[in-house]
Amino acid sequence: MLFRSIPMLPHAISNGVGSLNEGEHKLTLSVIITFDKKYKMIDYEILKSIIVSDKRFTYNEVNKLFYEGKFKHQEEIKTALLKLYDLSKHLIKERELTGTIDFESTELVFITDRNRKIINVEKRESKDAERLIESFMILANETVAKHLNDLNYPSVYRIHEKPDLDRLMDSVNVISKLGFKVDTKDFSNPKTIAKLTALADKTRYKKIVSMLVLKAMKRAKYTAYKDIHYGLNSMCYTHFTAPIRRYPDLILHRIIHDLLFQEGNFEKMFKYYDTNLPEILKHSSNQERLAIDISRDVEKLAAIDYLNNNLDKTYKGQIVAILPSGMFIELTNGIEGFCALRTLPSYFYYLEDSLNYINDYGVEYKLGDFVLVEYIGYNIDRLEIDFTILKKV
């Protein structure tokens, strides 16, 4: 089985006209933000611009500068990156204080050889360079969303509704059994959930707590009306920053040109967006969910392909969820599979109150344990991966 990436738009756009290649003039929309010395925003401007990229860096290159001070390029660029780094850390700290929820998510990276055969699987790590980009993207998105909302113009919003409280309480009950003291007074406030995920930070349960909280969350979606983005604790948010990747971003850029810059018939375009945006954004949300599901299926297929080519290996993993019939295990490389109790050499009892399994010989497996597993097969129809546990580690 061979895997390759296919751009969402033709190569001439995604890697040409719409890409900030080094030394090339590109027509863009920019948000120019001015901060004072205490990192407080004092002014901003949304405008048409021309960008010439001095240098394209990988995240690894920038992280080496931040963590090791290693940098082989111009001093001017180094100084700019370090200033941006200082500002991004302040923005991240501010978001933490306001209640941004830090979810532990797993994204897999499949390493292939020249023949596109998968030779290794790794977790994609989000380090300071990645967080720097994310912090400025969030800032630009919030700024544009608030600007158009203040003008009462039709606009695209990215919302993330409050979680289902019954499902959230079920997750909280499990989290409390892991030994975390949970304040259940106000789960309508994202700060409460942010504190909950922060409790598990730097513990073996960080991934598990994030998964439990995510189970209660509703899916983010695009709408034509302003509402909370619960995960970011933002009351006015949009997607402005990647129009070559997402259709809603492209629609938003058109709105900015047609309404904010008044490049067309304002009244006609205002009426068009006001009438059609709800249906456009409903369709975009549905297509996004479909794309996410397809992406996850492809990821599972790639994981199965990798495991089938490495049948002699054993893997370290963590028990991240439990059911009466067995447990879900995430390998250290990020691949997740299921270990059915029937695959174990002796009968195990499931104890829901203590979140564990135990057999007549005193062998115990519990939520959060690290185990050594063996891959034993898969179900292609359901795209399920099967493991069996060899021992605790």
Side-chain angles (χ1 to χ4, degrees):
M1 191 180 297
L2 298 177
F3 295 88
R4 64 189 180 94
S5 64
I6 301 173
M8 289 184 239
L9 292 172
H11 191 272
I13 296 176
S14 62
N15 289 64
V17 176
S19 184
L20 296 177
N21 299 321
E22 285 182 30
E24 296 180 5
H25 289 70
K26 300 291 181 177
L27 301 177
T28 56
L29 288 181
S30 295
V31 182
I32 309 298
I33 299 175
T34 304
F35 293 87
D36 64 18
K37 292 181 179 179
K38 294 182 179 179
Y39 301 118
K40 181 181 179 182
M41 185 197 298
I42 56 176
D43 193 20
Y44 71 88
E45 188 177 5
I46 302 167
L47 44 76
K48 293 188 287 184
S49 57
I50 298 174
I51 288 179
V52 181
S53 177
D54 290 324
K55 181 70 182 175
R56 288 187 72 174
F57 295 104
T58 65
Y59 286 119
N60 285 339
E61 285 179 293
V62 179
N63 277 320
K64 278 189 176 181
L65 168 62
F66 294 162
Y67 298 142
E68 303 172 28
K70 295 179 180 178
F71 197 71
K72 300 178 181 178
H73 307 281
Q74 298 99 308
E75 193 67 23
E76 184 181 8
I77 296 177
K78 177 181 178 180
T79 300
L81 282 171
L82 291 175
K83 285 183 178 178
L84 288 171
Y85 186 34
D86 286 340
L87 177 54
S88 71
K89 287 189 286 187
H90 177 80
L91 294 173
I92 291 167
K93 186 65 176 177
E94 274 195 337
R95 291 210 317 274
E96 289 173 351
L97 292 173
T98 57
T100 294
I101 303 171
D102 181 19
F103 290 115
E104 173 80 2
S105 59
T106 299
E107 184 179 348
L108 301 185
V109 179
F110 295 93
I111 313 299
T112 60
D113 61 17
R114 291 182 179 180
N115 298 316
R116 294 178 181 162
K117 178 183 176 182
I118 299 170
I119 56 175
N120 200 10
V121 184
E122 299 174 356
K123 280 186 184 180
R124 187 185 299 278
E125 291 187 82
S126 182
K127 296 182 179 179
D128 282 358
E130 290 87 345
R131 285 190 283 268
L132 178 148
I133 295 296
E134 182 185 19
S135 65
F136 290 117
M137 287 174 65
I138 290 172
L139 179 65
N141 290 338
E142 288 182 322
T143 302
V144 171
K146 187 176 184 304
H147 187 81
L148 291 175
N149 182 70
D150 288 347
L151 291 171
N152 205 27
Y153 286 176
S155 186
V156 176
Y157 295 98
R158 180 71 167 176
I159 72 169
H160 186 199
E161 295 169 300
K162 294 175 182 178
D164 182 289
L165 290 181
D166 289 335
R167 292 173 65 184
L168 186 55
M169 285 308 300
D170 289 341
S171 293
V172 165
N173 287 335
V174 175
I175 293 169
S176 64
K177 290 177 183 179
L178 294 173
F180 297 103
K181 186 178 180 182
V182 182
D183 181 4
T184 59
K185 290 179 182 177
D186 184 16
F187 280 120
S188 63
N189 188 339
K191 278 188 177 182
T192 306
I193 304 299
K195 289 178 182 177
L196 185 57
T197 55
L199 284 174
D201 193 26
K202 298 180 182 177
T203 75
R204 65 165 58 194
Y205 300 111
K206 182 175 183 180
K207 170 72 176 182
I208 296 167
V209 170
S210 287
M211 286 176 62
L212 288 166
V213 172
L214 278 170
K215 280 176 61 178
M217 292 291 163
K218 296 179 181 179
R219 285 191 172 189
K221 61 183 180 181
Y222 297 103
T223 65
Y225 57 87
K226 180 176 77 76
D227 201 350
I228 191 171
H229 190 295
Y230 191 88
L232 294 172
N233 195 13
S234 175
M235 287 307 302
C236 199
Y237 193 70
T238 189
H239 274 169
F240 163 80
T241 52
I244 67 165
R245 293 182 54 208
R246 295 181 293 235
Y247 186 63
D249 306 53
L250 182 59
I251 291 293
L252 182 61
H253 279 232
R254 289 174 178 169
I255 289 172
I256 291 170
H257 281 283
D258 291 336
L259 302 183
L260 190 60
F261 299 155
Q262 299 189 23
E263 294 177 354
N265 184 316
F266 181 86
E267 290 185 4
K268 179 182 177 181
M269 296 312 299
F270 190 104
K271 184 177 179 181
Y272 170 80
Y273 290 122
D274 201 38
T275 302
N276 293 289
L277 267 181
E279 189 59 35
I280 290 171
L281 298 178
K282 179 182 178 182
H283 176 74
S284 294
S285 296
N286 290 338
Q287 292 303 106
E288 178 187 51
R289 285 193 285 272
L290 177 61
I292 289 171
D293 290 342
I294 292 171
S295 177
R296 287 173 178 166
D297 286 349
V298 170
E299 192 175 83
K300 270 290 178 66
L301 281 169
I304 289 170
D305 186 58
Y306 170 76
L307 292 168
N308 282 338
N309 289 323
N310 293 276
L311 295 174
D312 58 333
K313 286 188 177 182
T314 56
Y315 304 90
K316 183 181 177 182
Q318 184 183 29
I319 300 171
V320 294
I322 61 173
L323 297 172
S325 59
M327 60 206 90
F328 288 94
I329 296 169
E330 183 182 285
L331 305 185
T332 53
N333 62 15
I335 295 175
E336 186 179 293
F338 186 73
C339 173
L341 293 183
R342 57 180 167 76
T343 68
L344 301 180
S346 61
Y347 185 82
F348 277 80
Y349 304 92
Y350 169 59
L351 306 175
E352 184 176 5
D353 288 343
S354 51
L355 306 174
N356 70 332
Y357 310 92
I358 193 166
N359 67 8
D360 292 330
Y361 308 101
V363 178
E364 178 187 33
Y365 297 113
K366 63 180 183 295
L367 191 62
D369 276 353
F370 290 97
V371 291
L372 190 68
V373 304
E374 183 179 41
Y375 167 66
I376 59 173
Y378 64 96
N379 183 304
I380 196 65
D381 294 324
R382 296 195 296 269
L383 291 179
E384 293 175 347
I385 293 170
D386 296 318
F387 296 128
T388 189
I389 294 177
L390 301 176
K391 62 179 181 178
K392 284 204 290 188
V393 292

